[in-house]
Amino acid sequence: MRSSACTKNLSRKSPKQDEGLSLLVSLMMGMVLVAGATGLLHRQLMARKLGAAESYQQMAETAALNGFNRILSELNNDDNTNYKGYLFTLDHHGGDIDSSGSEKWGWNASNQVNFPLREICTSRSPLPEAVPASSSNGEPPYIALTQSASSQRDDGKANIQLQYRLRGYTTTATANNNGAGEGRFQVEGLVVRNGDEANKGYLARTLLLRSLYVSSIVAGEGDWAVLAGQTLSLGDTEILTSNGSAGDGKVLLNVNSTDRYLNANGCLATNLLEDVGGSATNTNLDSRIVPILDKGLPTTTLWNLGLTQDKASGSDKVRIWSFDDTDALTNCSSIVCSREVDSADADQRDDLVNNADSVIRLSEAELCQGTGADCHVFVEHINLTKTRLLIETSANRPVVLHLEYPGTSTVDPSEPGITGSINLESGAQLCGVNAGEDTCNGQAQQLIIVSGAPKPSSVRSCAVSPDDDQYVLAFDGNSLPAASVHLLPGIVKTGNSNTSLTGLIWADGICTDAGPFDLITSSSGSSTVVRELNEQWKWDDQNFPGYGQMVTRGIRGTGLDTFRRW
């Protein structure tokens, strides 16, 4: 009986041990669950924090992109009265932190005179609102993209704003290379809470690096230079259309110093008229004059569609011409003479003269042996007082008259009166005509007068004479109805009569103040001389940006955008 009782008591104690073990297991499971839940909560909190950080970073990149687009939009604005494209040619950065004084805040109003422009009188007053200009050398401020009254993300705290600023801009498209090159932008994007300091309390910050091609071109036909040179004496010259109204085109004055134009009055119309020798009452020119720093004239390679040189029939040697109806030449008694480049002796060409010595015709078949996409004719002397010199030209083969010899091996002429110049008095005429016709065709793009010889050591004045000096083109009245003149070097002079020319003149010196002179820059239709020259000589195919008042633009990226975080 005692044994049974003991067994019974033992059987009752055994469940209490099991209960203790179960409690322990339950406690351990609870700890595991609590730890797991805590870890999960921590992970979720970290994921949310990382997500927020990534979101802020993306917002900062968006701010930088939007800021860059704002800056680019302002600089590329095509409003002529609010032109800011010149800033593409000026650096704007804080310099090297280890090099004091290396800052180049070229977009700040106080520093404009320290940064040269090629077009000296460009108005520098328009500055981009997207990059607020400072009157000091302080860094550009941050600019808000969003309003402080609204938040870019609702997180129960102060409103979130997006900001940007231009941190730096450097360019190779400077005045020295005609405003063509690469521009590199650094635009900073920030995410900040309303009331925090942008440079300290930001939530995210990024730096956008963007590179652009910078291009400078003459944008419109009216911006082209139709008169250009270093020594200008224009008097009452007017630029007109064929019907007598004001024509298109600019007057470019090539200068080698900016001193005169840096004072407050240097770019006034009255002073610019004085610089080009214009009459004080010349209202036709007063708004066209553009001083250009160290630009010079275009090269004569523009007049090349194949460079077919004139040679006599059956000869492989370049031919050189002279024309004189004054009996001034002693070794050639004809009005027309020609010689080969390696000979000083000229042949008489009476067969080209007709109508009782009053007309000289150079036919398509005579020049360049009737071949070529262009015809380059070398002339060492023209002096005509009463004779018409008719040169057959066409759109398929324009003619270029050269006032320089075709090569360094050329033998000098034996004639002492030959000066390498052209003189056309009012009773004479030099013009292009259609094949078989006697009426001047008025096609300035088909008859080009060029010189491309080395420039004389000294600057010549308007006192030069075609009788004594080289590379002078003198004409009077209607003696040169239509031509494009590009004398490098050279001087163009007009006479006392009412003189006109359809075309353009690029020369070291232009002296048209002896009498009234009209430059016609349009054809009989709606076209202009500039447009017809572009089409005839295929300047677009040569990537010629034009010659005149230029516009600078940032046109496309040179690489991928890069974002930097810090």
Side-chain angles (χ1 to χ4, degrees):
M1 292 292 293
R2 240 180 236 179
S3 177
S4 298
C6 290
T7 303
K8 185 176 181 180
N9 290 335
L10 289 172
S11 63
R12 289 177 179 175
K13 292 179 180 180
S14 188
K16 291 182 178 180
Q17 295 177 355
D18 292 343
E19 291 177 359
L21 183 59
S22 298
L23 180 60
L24 179 61
V25 171
S26 297
L27 290 173
M28 292 180 64
M29 287 297 294
M31 292 177 63
V32 170
L33 291 174
V34 169
T38 302
L40 181 60
L41 178 61
H42 181 70
R43 181 176 180 180
Q44 290 176 338
L45 291 174
M46 287 297 297
R48 182 177 180 182
K49 185 175 180 180
L50 291 173
E54 183 63 27
S55 176
Y56 293 147
Q57 193 63 44
Q58 292 177 1
M59 292 166 69
E61 294 177 1
T62 299
L65 279 172
N66 286 342
F68 170 79
N69 289 333
R70 283 192 178 188
I71 297 169
L72 187 63
S73 176
E74 278 207 67
L75 298 189
N76 277 340
N77 189 340
D78 59 1
D79 181 2
N80 291 335
T81 62
N82 199 26
Y83 174 63
K84 302 169 185 174
Y86 70 91
L87 296 173
F88 278 116
T89 66
L90 304 179
D91 286 345
H92 187 65
H93 60 80
D96 185 353
I97 60 174
D98 297 323
S99 178
S100 177
S102 64
E103 299 85 355
K104 290 188 177 182
W105 299 109
W107 295 10
N108 282 0
S110 63
N111 293 327
Q112 294 301 293
V113 296
N114 298 325
F115 294 83
L117 298 178
R118 175 134 286 171
E119 296 181 11
I120 307 168
C121 287
T122 299
S123 174
R124 302 194 186 201
S125 57
L127 292 169
E129 296 178 3
V131 186
S134 171
S135 59
S136 67
N137 287 343
E139 294 186 0
Y142 291 93
I143 307 163
L145 281 166
T146 56
Q147 298 179 353
S148 59
S150 61
S151 181
Q152 297 303 296
R153 180 171 180 172
D154 187 7
D155 58 2
K157 299 180 181 180
N159 290 344
I160 295 176
Q161 291 181 270
L162 304 185
Q163 298 179 348
Y164 77 93
R165 74 167 176 175
L166 178 65
R167 191 177 181 89
Y169 173 77
T170 57
T171 182
T172 60
T174 61
N176 293 331
N177 60 4
N178 294 319
E182 182 184 47
R184 297 182 179 181
F185 285 88
Q186 294 184 5
V187 181
E188 188 177 337
L190 275 85
V191 180
V192 298
R193 291 198 183 277
N194 188 28
D196 290 345
E197 294 185 33
N199 60 344
K200 295 180 180 179
Y202 55 84
L203 298 172
R205 181 172 66 168
T206 192
L207 187 66
L208 168 64
L209 306 179
R210 170 76 71 91
S211 297
L212 291 178
Y213 285 117
V214 177
S215 174
S216 297
I217 62 171
V218 181
E221 294 176 22
D223 298 320
W224 277 73
V226 293
L227 291 170
Q230 182 177 0
T231 301
L232 303 184
S233 186
L234 302 183
D236 292 318
T237 294
E238 292 189 331
I239 298 172
L240 303 174
T241 64
S242 57
N243 61 15
S245 60
D248 290 329
K250 299 291 185 181
V251 178
L252 259 63
L253 174 63
N254 290 313
V255 301
N256 52 25
S257 173
T258 63
D259 294 344
R260 176 173 172 80
Y261 306 98
L262 295 182
N263 61 69
N265 299 323
C267 293
L268 292 179
T270 53
N271 290 334
L272 293 178
L273 270 174
E274 181 181 346
D275 291 345
V276 300
S279 300
T281 58
N282 192 333
T283 57
N284 181 276
L285 297 184
D286 59 357
S287 62
R288 304 175 185 268
I289 303 166
V290 183
I292 300 290
L293 177 65
D294 292 333
K295 186 176 181 67
L297 299 173
T299 66
T300 57
T301 56
L302 293 174
W303 317 105
N304 183 359
L305 294 176
L307 202 61
T308 305
Q309 295 181 325
D310 176 52
K311 301 173 183 177
S313 178
S315 174
D316 61 352
K317 297 176 182 178
V318 177
R319 179 167 49 177
I320 301 173
W321 295 86
S322 63
F323 307 87
D324 197 313
D325 63 4
T326 65
D327 296 327
L329 302 182
T330 58
N331 294 329
C332 181
S333 58
S334 176
I335 297 176
V336 185
C337 301
S338 67
R339 65 183 181 90
E340 292 186 337
V341 67
D342 60 350
S343 173
D345 298 325
D347 298 325
Q348 298 182 183
R349 294 300 308 271
D350 294 321
D351 57 309
L352 301 177
V353 184
N354 52 41
N355 291 348
D357 294 346
S358 64
V359 176
I360 304 167
R361 176 179 292 275
L362 299 180
S363 66
E364 287 187 349
E366 175 66 37
L367 296 179
C368 293
Q369 302 179 12
T371 63
D374 56 11
C375 182
H376 292 256
V377 180
F378 293 87
V379 176
E380 60 185 354
H381 177 76
I382 298 179
N383 183 26
L384 299 176
T385 62
K386 58 186 178 181
T387 307
R388 299 183 71 208
L389 173 56
L390 308 182
I391 301 175
E392 292 187 354
T393 67
S394 68
N396 294 326
R397 202 188 69 173
V399 173
V400 182
L401 297 183
H402 289 259
L403 287 183
E404 83 274 359
Y405 292 132
T408 56
S409 61
T410 303
V411 174
D412 290 337
S414 59
E415 294 281 355
I418 288 179
T419 61
S421 292
I422 296 176
N423 180 57
L424 303 169
E425 296 189 8
S426 58
Q429 194 170 65
L430 165 62
C431 70
V433 296
N434 298 331
E437 298 184 6
D438 294 334
T439 303
C440 299
N441 58 25
Q443 303 298 312
Q445 75 278 11
Q446 295 179 15
L447 180 62
I448 316 299
I449 301 176
V450 166
S451 66
K455 189 172 183 177
S457 57
S458 60
V459 177
R460 298 186 293 172
S461 69
C462 291
V464 296
S465 167
D467 297 331
D468 304 310
D469 299 288
Q470 287 184 307
Y471 316 121
V472 178
L473 167 62
F475 62 101
D476 195 10
N478 194 39
S479 59
L480 187 64
S484 297
V485 180
H486 185 181
L487 300 184
L488 181 69
I491 290 183
V492 176
K493 298 185 66 173
T494 56
N496 299 322
S497 305
N498 290 328
T499 306
S500 66
L501 168 69
T502 297
L504 55 75
I505 302 175
W506 299 340
D508 288 337
I510 302 176
C511 310
T512 56
D513 59 339
F517 175 65
D518 295 337
L519 181 69
I520 313 301
T521 60
S522 68
S523 62
S524 56
S526 60
S527 185
T528 63
V529 169
V530 166
R531 185 189 310 173
E532 292 171 346
L533 284 168
N534 271 275
E535 293 173 355
Q536 177 70 66
W537 295 95
K538 304 183 187 309
W539 285 343
D540 287 341
D541 295 342
Q542 299 183 43
N543 294 319
F544 180 46
Y547 186 63
Q549 189 168 31
M550 307 193 83
V551 173
T552 303
R553 294 285 184 259
I555 52 179
R556 62 181 181 275
T558 59
L560 298 176
D561 289 349
T562 302
F563 290 97
R564 292 181 181 175
R565 302 181 181 184
W566 82 103

